[in-house]
Amino acid sequence: MKNVRYQISVLICCLLLAAVCLMIESRNFRTEEPNAIEVAAGTNGNYIKWVDFNVTYEALCTAYDLDVQSYESPVHLNWIELLAYAGAKKGGNFDKSSISLIQKLAAELSEGETTMAGLTKDMKYYDYYYEAYETVLGGMVGEYEIEQENEQGGKTWKKVYGLKAFSPIAKGFEYSDYDDFGSSRSYGYKRPHLGHDMMGQIGTPIGI
């Protein structure tokens, strides 16, 4: 009987110790920085399982301005490459220091001190961040033509470079919108909202 009680006491102590260890591990897990990218192994090599798009408005504007300003320069900067570099360097988390990182990178590239290929050759996850950011931002910046009126009153087309993204709602149709990009969402699972809600009337022509 005493032996049974002893065994039960040992079992309870072990269970309590295990519970304490789990609590400590859980606390450590919550305080760690979240990993912004998850890579899985496939039959054809590694592939992206998911990526958090945490690029801030300030970082987007900084990278975009550097891209546009360098369009006709000897070294044309690619805003997605700049963002992917900062993302890979900081684990997908953007803050004020990310702006300085992007500006420093742009200066080094513009002065010919280095190249993106050389800088990122051995950088872990750069290719994944570039692929993810290209999926979100690709095609939004580039060359396009705008119609202008010349001195004779005729119409001509001028090639320009810049933001090509446009409102999907047809001109002349009223709509309301709410700038909730990056706002918290909890439907299904907790995540930031990576869209911009635009509410139009039924029957409004939408361009894709």
Side-chain angles (χ1 to χ4, degrees), residues 1 6 8 10 16 61 65 74 96 104 116 128 162 170 179 184 192 201:
M1 188 67 177
Y6 175 76
I8 293 175
V10 172
L16 289 173
C61 289
D65 289 340
K96 291 183 179 179
K104 181 175 182 294
M116 283 301 301
Y128 294 109
D179 187 6
S184 178
Q201 301 175 357

Side-chain angles (χ1 to χ4, degrees), residues 169-173:
I169 296 178
K171 183 178 180 181
F173 287 82

Side-chain angles (χ1 to χ4, degrees), residues 167-181:
S167 171
I169 296 178
K171 183 178 180 181
F173 287 82
E174 294 184 357
Y175 67 93
S176 60
D177 67 316
Y178 176 64
D179 187 6
D180 56 349
F181 184 91

Side-chain angles (χ1 to χ4, degrees), residues 18-175:
V20 172
C21 291
L22 286 173
M23 290 174 63
I24 294 173
E25 182 66 24
S26 176
R27 182 178 297 175
N28 290 339
F29 177 77
R30 286 196 300 269
T31 56
E32 288 178 358
E33 289 293 329
N35 188 8
I37 185 171
E38 182 175 338
V39 179
T43 55
N44 297 320
N46 292 337
Y47 63 92
I48 299 174
K49 192 171 183 181
W50 56 261
V51 173
D52 286 339
F53 188 83
N54 296 324
V55 183
T56 61
Y57 174 76
E58 292 77 14
L60 286 169
C61 289
T62 299
Y64 169 78
D65 289 340
L66 290 166
D67 185 319
V68 174
Q69 293 167 6
S70 64
Y71 172 57
E72 295 182 342
S73 301
V75 178
H76 180 202
L77 303 171
N78 182 308
W79 73 314
I80 300 179
E81 290 180 350
L82 298 177
L83 293 171
Y85 180 87
K89 275 285 190 180
K90 300 183 68 65
N93 298 310
F94 284 76
D95 53 25
K96 291 183 179 179
S97 64
S98 302
I99 307 300
S100 300
L101 181 62
I102 291 172
Q103 292 171 334
K104 181 175 182 294
L105 170 63
E108 292 176 355
L109 293 172
S110 298
E111 294 170 5
E113 296 180 7
T114 186
T115 63
M116 283 301 301
L119 277 176
T120 61
K121 181 178 63 174
D122 299 319
M123 182 180 289
K124 190 176 183 180
Y125 296 144
Y126 168 79
D127 291 338
Y128 294 109
Y129 277 105
Y130 180 82
E131 182 180 346
Y133 292 175
E134 170 69 22
T135 301
V136 177
L137 304 171
M140 289 189 178
V141 174
E143 291 182 340
Y144 60 96
E145 293 183 338
I146 57 174
E147 189 178 44
Q148 292 184 329
E149 185 174 338
N150 57 30
E151 296 178 354
Q152 292 74 32
K155 300 291 184 179
T156 59
W157 290 92
K158 179 183 178 181
K159 182 180 291 185
V160 295
Y161 183 89
L163 189 64
K164 299 199 302 182
F166 60 91
S167 171
I169 296 178
K171 183 178 180 181
F173 287 82
E174 294 184 357
Y175 67 93

